[in-house]
Amino acid sequence: MSFLQDPSFFTMGMWSIGAGALGAAALALLLANTDVFLSTSQKATLEYLEDIDLKTLEKEPRTFKAKELWEKNGAVIMAVRRPGCFLCREEAADLSSLKPKLDELGVPLYAVVKEQIRTEVQDFQPYFKGEIFLDEKKRFYGPQRRKMMFMGFVRLGVWYNFFRARNGGFSGNLEGEGFILGGVFVVGSGKQGILLEHREKEFGDKVNPVSVLEAARKIQPQTSAAESK
């Protein structure tokens, strides 16, 4: 058992443990930056979206079915992860930059939030140029609700998104629930269906505005559809 008295034996043992720990950490970091552990999404059907109950944000709120938003002219709808998040504000501003072109197409721009905390929605409004509604049951964030927890903070893509939004001059706060991931929908009029469905896969995973506009151009307003028959 003389080797137990050899200092080099303990040094090698400690080195091996440290190397193993570093290797495990490196592997965990690598896996965290792949899609292996990301929440899988389930595409929504038109019927699912149509049946969602939304509320207006007035003093006396009105509850209505979501299909009212797109029934006549279609709609672009942002499901906001958290109004106070500077990444969500960045995406809202991107979508709002499309507003003049959407107005030309006659396609409205809307957003839904999952909670109304103090002045969070009001503070979000300068970044978003459309009406905002409350989805208390969080159904626009389904059918299979997805979350990103603290793993998001070790993803390189998330840090890239952080720096991009910060460099763009966006700021925010930590108010409200921010782990349930959001998305963007472009829905055609009537029964035309879902023309684009973007599911946020990580914090700051924005929809491509060009794709939104391309989908919006495919919308056939109910009046036009009726006239063409």
Side-chain angles (χ1 to χ4, degrees), residues 48-75:
Y48 172 85
L49 295 182
E50 285 179 330
D51 195 48
I52 294 175
D53 289 321
L54 297 177
K55 281 186 178 181
T56 60
L57 298 177
E58 304 159 339
K59 289 185 178 180
E60 296 183 5
R62 178 178 74 91
T63 301
F64 64 97
K65 293 296 183 183
K67 66 179 180 180
E68 285 187 27
L69 298 182
W70 59 79
E71 205 159 24
K72 292 183 179 179
N73 297 302

mmCIF file of all heavy atoms in Angstrom, residues 48-75:
data_model
loop_
_atom_site.group_PDB
_atom_site.id
_atom_site.type_symbol
_atom_site.label_atom_id
_atom_site.label_comp_id
_atom_site.label_asym_id
_atom_site.label_seq_id
_atom_site.Cartn_x
_atom_site.Cartn_y
_atom_site.Cartn_z
ATOM 1 N N TYR A 48 -59.027 24.559 -33.279
ATOM 2 C CA TYR A 48 -58.500 24.812 -31.934
ATOM 3 C C TYR A 48 -58.432 26.309 -31.668
ATOM 4 O O TYR A 48 -58.875 26.797 -30.622
ATOM 5 C CB TYR A 48 -57.113 24.175 -31.803
ATOM 6 C CG TYR A 48 -56.394 24.534 -30.522
ATOM 7 C CD1 TYR A 48 -56.619 23.825 -29.348
ATOM 8 C CD2 TYR A 48 -55.486 25.603 -30.478
ATOM 9 C CE1 TYR A 48 -55.972 24.164 -28.166
ATOM 10 C CE2 TYR A 48 -54.836 25.945 -29.303
ATOM 11 C CZ TYR A 48 -55.084 25.216 -28.153
ATOM 12 O OH TYR A 48 -54.443 25.560 -26.988
ATOM 13 N N LEU A 49 -57.867 27.066 -32.619
ATOM 14 C CA LEU A 49 -57.728 28.512 -32.435
ATOM 15 C C LEU A 49 -59.090 29.206 -32.389
ATOM 16 O O LEU A 49 -59.287 30.143 -31.606
ATOM 17 C CB LEU A 49 -56.884 29.114 -33.560
ATOM 18 C CG LEU A 49 -55.413 28.691 -33.632
ATOM 19 C CD1 LEU A 49 -54.725 29.423 -34.778
ATOM 20 C CD2 LEU A 49 -54.686 28.984 -32.330
ATOM 21 N N GLU A 50 -60.005 28.769 -33.224
ATOM 22 C CA GLU A 50 -61.323 29.410 -33.300
ATOM 23 C C GLU A 50 -62.056 29.387 -31.962
ATOM 24 O O GLU A 50 -62.805 30.304 -31.641
ATOM 25 C CB GLU A 50 -62.194 28.706 -34.350
ATOM 26 C CG GLU A 50 -61.821 29.018 -35.785
ATOM 27 C CD GLU A 50 -62.701 28.267 -36.772
ATOM 28 O OE1 GLU A 50 -63.163 27.149 -36.435
ATOM 29 O OE2 GLU A 50 -62.925 28.779 -37.880
ATOM 30 N N ASP A 51 -61.830 28.344 -31.185
ATOM 31 C CA ASP A 51 -62.605 28.136 -29.960
ATOM 32 C C ASP A 51 -61.987 28.810 -28.735
ATOM 33 O O ASP A 51 -62.527 28.725 -27.638
ATOM 34 C CB ASP A 51 -62.736 26.623 -29.699
ATOM 35 C CG ASP A 51 -63.815 26.317 -28.674
ATOM 36 O OD1 ASP A 51 -64.934 26.858 -28.798
ATOM 37 O OD2 ASP A 51 -63.531 25.554 -27.722
ATOM 38 N N ILE A 52 -60.879 29.521 -28.922
ATOM 39 C CA ILE A 52 -60.213 30.165 -27.789
ATOM 40 C C ILE A 52 -61.019 31.374 -27.307
ATOM 41 O O ILE A 52 -61.494 32.174 -28.118
ATOM 42 C CB ILE A 52 -58.785 30.607 -28.178
ATOM 43 C CG1 ILE A 52 -57.919 29.376 -28.465
ATOM 44 C CG2 ILE A 52 -58.155 31.462 -27.072
ATOM 45 C CD1 ILE A 52 -56.537 29.706 -28.970
ATOM 46 N N ASP A 53 -61.167 31.487 -26.005
ATOM 47 C CA ASP A 53 -61.841 32.649 -25.411
ATOM 48 C C ASP A 53 -60.821 33.744 -25.122
ATOM 49 O O ASP A 53 -59.811 33.503 -24.455
ATOM 50 C CB ASP A 53 -62.539 32.257 -24.100
ATOM 51 C CG ASP A 53 -63.757 31.378 -24.328
ATOM 52 O OD1 ASP A 53 -64.493 31.635 -25.303
ATOM 53 O OD2 ASP A 53 -63.965 30.443 -23.539
ATOM 54 N N LEU A 54 -61.105 34.936 -25.617
ATOM 55 C CA LEU A 54 -60.262 36.097 -25.369
ATOM 56 C C LEU A 54 -61.062 37.168 -24.650
ATOM 57 O O LEU A 54 -62.287 37.190 -24.738
ATOM 58 C CB LEU A 54 -59.715 36.661 -26.685
ATOM 59 C CG LEU A 54 -58.790 35.750 -27.506
ATOM 60 C CD1 LEU A 54 -58.399 36.449 -28.803
ATOM 61 C CD2 LEU A 54 -57.556 35.356 -26.709
ATOM 62 N N LYS A 55 -60.354 38.061 -23.970
ATOM 63 C CA LYS A 55 -61.008 39.177 -23.285
ATOM 64 C C LYS A 55 -60.386 40.491 -23.740
ATOM 65 O O LYS A 55 -59.167 40.582 -23.937
ATOM 66 C CB LYS A 55 -60.846 39.059 -21.765
ATOM 67 C CG LYS A 55 -61.789 38.081 -21.098
ATOM 68 C CD LYS A 55 -61.642 38.156 -19.587
ATOM 69 C CE LYS A 55 -62.607 37.222 -18.874
ATOM 70 N NZ LYS A 55 -62.467 37.317 -17.402
ATOM 71 N N THR A 56 -61.223 41.493 -23.873
ATOM 72 C CA THR A 56 -60.704 42.830 -24.129
ATOM 73 C C THR A 56 -60.119 43.371 -22.821
ATOM 74 O O THR A 56 -60.407 42.859 -21.743
ATOM 75 C CB THR A 56 -61.817 43.766 -24.627
ATOM 76 O OG1 THR A 56 -62.841 43.842 -23.616
ATOM 77 C CG2 THR A 56 -62.443 43.249 -25.923
ATOM 78 N N LEU A 57 -59.295 44.393 -22.935
ATOM 79 C CA LEU A 57 -58.621 44.938 -21.760
ATOM 80 C C LEU A 57 -59.261 46.239 -21.280
ATOM 81 O O LEU A 57 -58.608 47.066 -20.647
ATOM 82 C CB LEU A 57 -57.135 45.153 -22.075
ATOM 83 C CG LEU A 57 -56.365 43.872 -22.423
ATOM 84 C CD1 LEU A 57 -54.933 44.190 -22.786
ATOM 85 C CD2 LEU A 57 -56.420 42.878 -21.271
ATOM 86 N N GLU A 58 -60.516 46.389 -21.566
ATOM 87 C CA GLU A 58 -61.254 47.576 -21.138
ATOM 88 C C GLU A 58 -61.647 47.439 -19.671
ATOM 89 O O GLU A 58 -61.486 46.378 -19.056
ATOM 90 C CB GLU A 58 -62.507 47.740 -22.004
ATOM 91 C CG GLU A 58 -62.205 47.814 -23.494
ATOM 92 C CD GLU A 58 -63.421 47.454 -24.343
ATOM 93 O OE1 GLU A 58 -64.337 46.786 -23.824
ATOM 94 O OE2 GLU A 58 -63.429 47.850 -25.518
ATOM 95 N N LYS A 59 -62.191 48.523 -19.095
ATOM 96 C CA LYS A 59 -62.648 48.475 -17.698
ATOM 97 C C LYS A 59 -63.756 47.461 -17.527
ATOM 98 O O LYS A 59 -63.859 46.798 -16.490
ATOM 99 C CB LYS A 59 -63.113 49.865 -17.256
ATOM 100 C CG LYS A 59 -61.972 50.868 -17.081
ATOM 101 C CD LYS A 59 -62.475 52.187 -16.530
ATOM 102 C CE LYS A 59 -61.333 53.162 -16.299
ATOM 103 N NZ LYS A 59 -61.801 54.471 -15.768
ATOM 104 N N GLU A 60 -64.607 47.365 -18.540
ATOM 105 C CA GLU A 60 -65.644 46.334 -18.540
ATOM 106 C C GLU A 60 -65.331 45.376 -19.685
ATOM 107 O O GLU A 60 -65.800 45.561 -20.813
ATOM 108 C CB GLU A 60 -67.029 46.965 -18.707
ATOM 109 C CG GLU A 60 -67.415 47.873 -17.551
ATOM 110 C CD GLU A 60 -68.820 48.436 -17.699
ATOM 111 O OE1 GLU A 60 -69.515 48.033 -18.662
ATOM 112 O OE2 GLU A 60 -69.210 49.266 -16.859
ATOM 113 N N PRO A 61 -64.500 44.357 -19.435
ATOM 114 C CA PRO A 61 -64.022 43.479 -20.505
ATOM 115 C C PRO A 61 -65.127 42.675 -21.170
ATOM 116 O O PRO A 61 -66.099 42.278 -20.526
ATOM 117 C CB PRO A 61 -63.028 42.566 -19.794
ATOM 118 C CG PRO A 61 -63.415 42.614 -18.357
ATOM 119 C CD PRO A 61 -63.969 43.972 -18.121
ATOM 120 N N ARG A 62 -64.959 42.472 -22.460
ATOM 121 C CA ARG A 62 -65.878 41.640 -23.233
ATOM 122 C C ARG A 62 -65.156 40.346 -23.592
ATOM 123 O O ARG A 62 -64.017 40.363 -24.043
ATOM 124 C CB ARG A 62 -66.303 42.371 -24.514
ATOM 125 C CG ARG A 62 -67.225 41.558 -25.426
ATOM 126 C CD ARG A 62 -67.634 42.353 -26.648
ATOM 127 N NE ARG A 62 -66.560 42.487 -27.614
ATOM 128 C CZ ARG A 62 -66.340 41.634 -28.634
ATOM 129 N NH1 ARG A 62 -67.126 40.569 -28.785
ATOM 130 N NH2 ARG A 62 -65.359 41.847 -29.485
ATOM 131 N N THR A 63 -65.824 39.228 -23.378
ATOM 132 C CA THR A 63 -65.267 37.924 -23.748
ATOM 133 C C THR A 63 -65.823 37.515 -25.107
ATOM 134 O O THR A 63 -67.021 37.635 -25.350
ATOM 135 C CB THR A 63 -65.616 36.855 -22.696
ATOM 136 O OG1 THR A 63 -65.094 37.258 -21.418
ATOM 137 C CG2 THR A 63 -65.019 35.512 -23.066
ATOM 138 N N PHE A 64 -64.942 37.033 -25.973
ATOM 139 C CA PHE A 64 -65.375 36.653 -27.316
ATOM 140 C C PHE A 64 -64.492 35.522 -27.834
ATOM 141 O O PHE A 64 -63.416 35.251 -27.289
ATOM 142 C CB PHE A 64 -65.318 37.849 -28.275
ATOM 143 C CG PHE A 64 -63.919 38.375 -28.492
ATOM 144 C CD1 PHE A 64 -63.173 37.987 -29.602
ATOM 145 C CD2 PHE A 64 -63.334 39.248 -27.583
ATOM 146 C CE1 PHE A 64 -61.886 38.464 -29.798
ATOM 147 C CE2 PHE A 64 -62.042 39.735 -27.774
ATOM 148 C CZ PHE A 64 -61.320 39.342 -28.885
ATOM 149 N N LYS A 65 -64.950 34.858 -28.878
ATOM 150 C CA LYS A 65 -64.175 33.783 -29.484
ATOM 151 C C LYS A 65 -63.111 34.377 -30.412
ATOM 152 O O LYS A 65 -63.354 35.340 -31.129
ATOM 153 C CB LYS A 65 -65.081 32.844 -30.280
ATOM 154 C CG LYS A 65 -66.055 32.042 -29.424
ATOM 155 C CD LYS A 65 -65.311 31.080 -28.491
ATOM 156 C CE LYS A 65 -66.280 30.218 -27.672
ATOM 157 N NZ LYS A 65 -65.553 29.337 -26.715
ATOM 158 N N ALA A 66 -61.938 33.763 -30.399
ATOM 159 C CA ALA A 66 -60.800 34.297 -31.146
ATOM 160 C C ALA A 66 -61.065 34.401 -32.639
ATOM 161 O O ALA A 66 -60.481 35.248 -33.324
ATOM 162 C CB ALA A 66 -59.570 33.429 -30.899
ATOM 163 N N LYS A 67 -61.962 33.577 -33.173
ATOM 164 C CA LYS A 67 -62.199 33.597 -34.622
ATOM 165 C C LYS A 67 -62.714 34.942 -35.110
ATOM 166 O O LYS A 67 -62.607 35.257 -36.302
ATOM 167 C CB LYS A 67 -63.166 32.480 -35.018
ATOM 168 C CG LYS A 67 -64.585 32.633 -34.488
ATOM 169 C CD LYS A 67 -65.454 31.480 -34.971
ATOM 170 C CE LYS A 67 -66.877 31.603 -34.467
ATOM 171 N NZ LYS A 67 -67.729 30.479 -34.948
ATOM 172 N N GLU A 68 -63.239 35.758 -34.182
ATOM 173 C CA GLU A 68 -63.680 37.101 -34.567
ATOM 174 C C GLU A 68 -62.515 37.943 -35.104
ATOM 175 O O GLU A 68 -62.717 38.852 -35.894
ATOM 176 C CB GLU A 68 -64.301 37.832 -33.374
ATOM 177 C CG GLU A 68 -65.685 37.357 -32.997
ATOM 178 C CD GLU A 68 -66.308 38.235 -31.913
ATOM 179 O OE1 GLU A 68 -65.927 39.430 -31.840
ATOM 180 O OE2 GLU A 68 -67.155 37.742 -31.153
ATOM 181 N N LEU A 69 -61.310 37.625 -34.668
ATOM 182 C CA LEU A 69 -60.148 38.415 -35.062
ATOM 183 C C LEU A 69 -59.839 38.290 -36.549
ATOM 184 O O LEU A 69 -59.356 39.236 -37.169
ATOM 185 C CB LEU A 69 -58.910 37.993 -34.255
ATOM 186 C CG LEU A 69 -58.959 38.181 -32.734
ATOM 187 C CD1 LEU A 69 -57.642 37.748 -32.125
ATOM 188 C CD2 LEU A 69 -59.271 39.631 -32.369
ATOM 189 N N TRP A 70 -60.072 37.120 -37.117
ATOM 190 C CA TRP A 70 -59.661 36.885 -38.517
ATOM 191 C C TRP A 70 -60.808 36.503 -39.454
ATOM 192 O O TRP A 70 -60.594 36.274 -40.639
ATOM 193 C CB TRP A 70 -58.607 35.777 -38.562
ATOM 194 C CG TRP A 70 -59.050 34.453 -38.006
ATOM 195 C CD1 TRP A 70 -59.825 33.505 -38.617
ATOM 196 C CD2 TRP A 70 -58.737 33.932 -36.711
ATOM 197 N NE1 TRP A 70 -60.013 32.432 -37.798
ATOM 198 C CE2 TRP A 70 -59.347 32.650 -36.618
ATOM 199 C CE3 TRP A 70 -57.993 34.391 -35.634
ATOM 200 C CZ2 TRP A 70 -59.236 31.852 -35.480
ATOM 201 C CZ3 TRP A 70 -57.882 33.592 -34.499
ATOM 202 C CH2 TRP A 70 -58.494 32.347 -34.431
ATOM 203 N N GLU A 71 -62.019 36.450 -38.936
ATOM 204 C CA GLU A 71 -63.141 35.927 -39.718
ATOM 205 C C GLU A 71 -63.307 36.625 -41.065
ATOM 206 O O GLU A 71 -63.530 35.975 -42.080
ATOM 207 C CB GLU A 71 -64.430 36.042 -38.902
ATOM 208 C CG GLU A 71 -65.477 35.031 -39.325
ATOM 209 C CD GLU A 71 -66.504 34.798 -38.227
ATOM 210 O OE1 GLU A 71 -66.694 35.693 -37.376
ATOM 211 O OE2 GLU A 71 -67.100 33.727 -38.233
ATOM 212 N N LYS A 72 -63.180 37.949 -41.092
ATOM 213 C CA LYS A 72 -63.447 38.691 -42.330
ATOM 214 C C LYS A 72 -62.195 38.940 -43.167
ATOM 215 O O LYS A 72 -62.210 38.781 -44.382
ATOM 216 C CB LYS A 72 -64.114 40.028 -42.009
ATOM 217 C CG LYS A 72 -65.521 39.892 -41.460
ATOM 218 C CD LYS A 72 -66.158 41.261 -41.242
ATOM 219 C CE LYS A 72 -67.584 41.128 -40.725
ATOM 220 N NZ LYS A 72 -68.207 42.465 -40.483
ATOM 221 N N ASN A 73 -61.114 39.355 -42.518
ATOM 222 C CA ASN A 73 -59.930 39.797 -43.268
ATOM 223 C C ASN A 73 -58.654 39.055 -42.909
ATOM 224 O O ASN A 73 -57.569 39.483 -43.319
ATOM 225 C CB ASN A 73 -59.706 41.298 -43.036
ATOM 226 C CG ASN A 73 -60.869 42.128 -43.551
ATOM 227 O OD1 ASN A 73 -61.214 42.069 -44.717
ATOM 228 N ND2 ASN A 73 -61.487 42.893 -42.657
ATOM 229 N N GLY A 74 -58.771 37.970 -42.155
ATOM 230 C CA GLY A 74 -57.568 37.310 -41.687
ATOM 231 C C GLY A 74 -56.907 38.144 -40.604
ATOM 232 O O GLY A 74 -57.414 39.196 -40.210
ATOM 233 N N ALA A 75 -55.736 37.714 -40.126
ATOM 234 C CA ALA A 75 -55.050 38.475 -39.074
ATOM 235 C C ALA A 75 -53.643 37.951 -38.854
ATOM 236 O O ALA A 75 -53.344 36.782 -39.131
ATOM 237 C CB ALA A 75 -55.829 38.400 -37.762
#
